[in-house]
Amino acid sequence: MTYAPQRPLDVPPYQLQPLLSDFTDTLSRAAGQPVTVRCAQAIGSEIYVGCSNGELLRFALQANSADTLDSYTLLSRQSIPNEKPIDNIVIAPSISRALVLSDHQIHFYTIPALDMVPLNLIKPIRNVVAFAVDEQHLKRPPQYANEVPLPVEPIEFCVVKRNAISLYSLRERLFFQKEIPLPNGGILARRTGRYLCVADRENYNVIDLLQASLVPLLPISQAMDSDIAVKPSITVISENEFLILSWTGASTIGVFITGEGDPVRGTLEWPSHPEAVSLDYPYITTLLPNNTIEIHSVETQTIVQVIPAPPEGSSPLSGDRKALIACFNGFFIPSTQRTEKLRPTPVRLLRGRGGAKAQASTERSTTEDALPDIPAL
């Protein structure tokens, strides 16, 4: 069961397009087990993939012939030191770093080359249950995107350990800031600014990192007698807003919460508990167990589009479609969309002021031929 869009848009906001396929067959296997994709991230023309055999892969968009689409090609592959499954990759473009979580340790790499930061500069952080980088810092653009070089500001992040939260800042070196007790621990966390939303085994809580104060929110599951294992979900919406999901026993509701713990906006609802949630403002995208992808409007809380999930065998995640990944600084997608609009056009070259008029006329003609963009999901 899925809900249909109440007010479908004339131009749907998303379309589905494969980027990588069939590359895991070439990877080494551990104890005869097939290699699977565990996580991924992308920025610009680069895609970074973490695998179950501990390999970290770097793909880059390569130009092909004029008759074929550009495609992502494997540029490098390496194994992290412990060769254990890679659980998460976080890209911090403003400081050219990647934080890689594996076997309860955070390793630090440079991007785009994916070289490990020397251990005499930064050692891995151990005993990590979960970690959360300030998402406002992740949205800072890469240094090369600025025409005038800007001072490099450090990024800040929280590491959830068994009974405490450790706060760090990272630039060329790693600096420990302080530790906040967390008696019930946590298994999932997201941070925006001074606020950290964390889920333990049963409940959601929001923590003011400056005041070291905790406000309890909702239970992850409100169906106390249910045998269904419900996975917590936290999504940062803005500088002072989170979206948390709670299973009622009949459906899942999504509640928007401020950093102070107050509900805002309306609520979202799904007929079953989403496998994954991602924000691409102003849309919330969810992957459901019935192999559909639902897109809601954050502003109106209505469904605007429903997309079938990728068919079996069409991607490295087929048969285990558990992830939707938000890439804060965007990435390139090969596309043939609107190529029929590319055609030679004769332009008369005029001297003086007339040249500007001809240029304006050409720009108007190009605009009239253009079709609206449909971003890819």
Side-chain angles (χ1 to χ4, degrees):
M1 174 183 174
T2 188
Y3 298 138
Q6 293 96 333
R7 296 178 180 176
L9 303 178
D10 294 334
V11 179
Y14 297 102
Q15 66 182 22
L16 199 63
Q17 179 173 325
L19 294 178
L20 302 172
S21 61
D22 302 328
F23 64 86
T24 54
D25 295 337
T26 64
L27 303 179
S28 59
R29 301 187 174 201
Q33 297 296 321
V35 178
T36 59
V37 171
R38 295 290 298 266
C39 56
Q41 259 298 335
I43 180 172
S45 59
E46 307 268 340
I47 296 179
Y48 306 101
V49 178
C51 300
S52 58
N53 64 345
E55 284 198 86
L56 192 58
L57 311 179
R58 175 194 175 197
F59 294 85
L61 191 61
Q62 302 290 310
N64 294 324
S65 66
D67 299 329
T68 59
L69 276 177
D70 296 349
S71 60
Y72 279 94
T73 303
L74 181 63
L75 286 191
S76 66
R77 51 189 288 191
Q78 58 184 294
S79 295
I80 58 175
N82 55 22
E83 297 188 356
K84 296 292 182 66
I86 298 176
D87 299 312
N88 195 13
I89 301 172
V90 174
I91 301 295
S94 66
I95 60 171
S96 300
R97 293 292 184 268
L99 285 68
V100 179
L101 177 64
S102 174
D103 192 32
H104 302 291
Q105 299 182 49
I106 299 175
H107 303 270
F108 300 89
Y109 290 81
T110 63
I111 57 171
L114 278 185
D115 296 324
M116 178 174 281
V117 176
L119 296 180
N120 62 340
L121 290 180
I122 302 178
K123 294 182 179 179
I125 300 176
R126 305 180 185 278
N127 303 315
V128 178
V129 178
F131 78 105
V133 182
D134 187 338
E135 296 199 6
Q136 306 311 312
H137 294 179
L138 295 180
K139 294 177 182 178
R140 294 173 181 166
Q143 283 297 302
Y144 62 76
N146 300 313
E147 295 182 2
V148 178
L150 299 176
V152 178
E153 297 291 334
I155 66 164
E156 296 183 346
F157 64 97
C158 301
V159 174
V160 179
K161 299 188 176 182
R162 177 177 292 183
N163 301 114
I165 301 169
S166 298
L167 277 63
Y168 294 89
S169 68
L170 172 66
R171 194 162 54 183
E172 291 84 3
R173 290 182 176 271
L174 181 67
F175 296 94
F176 173 78
Q177 296 176 325
K178 66 177 181 180
E179 189 168 88
I180 299 175
L182 188 65
N184 292 332
I187 57 175
L188 177 68
R190 293 290 183 267
R191 177 176 174 177
T192 176
R194 64 186 289 178
Y195 299 108
L196 179 74
C197 188
V198 59
D200 55 32
R201 296 291 178 182
E202 297 181 354
N203 301 296
Y204 295 103
N205 308 279
V206 66
I207 299 171
D208 185 325
L209 299 172
L210 295 183
Q211 301 294 330
S213 59
L214 181 147
V215 177
L217 300 173
L218 287 174
I220 298 169
S221 175
Q222 302 177 38
M224 300 304 176
D225 299 331
S226 174
D227 295 330
I228 300 176
V230 179
K231 183 171 61 174
S233 175
I234 306 169
T235 305
V236 171
I237 302 299
S238 67
E239 295 181 3
N240 186 31
E241 188 177 352
F242 300 92
L243 172 68
I244 57 177
L245 271 55
S246 180
W247 171 247
T248 66
S251 63
T252 289
I253 58 171
V255 182
F256 296 94
I257 298 291
T258 68
E260 293 80 14
D262 300 321
V264 291
R265 306 184 193 269
T267 58
L268 302 177
E269 186 176 4
W270 297 270
S272 55
H273 196 71
E275 301 279 3
V277 181
S278 179
L279 172 73
D280 181 21
Y281 200 88
Y283 301 111
I284 284 286
T285 305
T286 52
L287 175 63
L288 298 181
N290 63 356
N291 296 332
T292 60
I293 298 171
E294 288 189 358
I295 294 97
H296 287 77
S297 167
V298 173
E299 303 293 343
T300 64
Q301 295 86 56
T302 58
I303 297 179
V304 297
Q305 187 181 6
V306 177
I307 304 174
E312 296 290 339
S314 65
S315 76
L317 292 175
S318 63
D320 189 29
R321 293 182 289 255
K322 304 298 184 187
L324 290 172
I325 302 168
C327 301
F328 295 110
N329 283 272
F331 59 97
F332 295 117
I333 300 172
S335 177
T336 57
Q337 187 179 5
R338 298 187 297 174
T339 53
E340 71 280 359
K341 294 296 180 181
L342 299 175
R343 58 182 182 273
T345 302
V347 178
R348 178 180 297 178
L349 299 179
L350 301 177
R351 294 182 180 276
R353 296 176 61 185
K357 294 180 180 179
Q359 181 180 359
S361 176
T362 302
E363 291 177 352
R364 284 196 301 270
S365 176
T366 303
T367 303
E368 290 171 356
D369 284 343
L371 293 176
D373 286 328
I374 304 179
L377 175 67

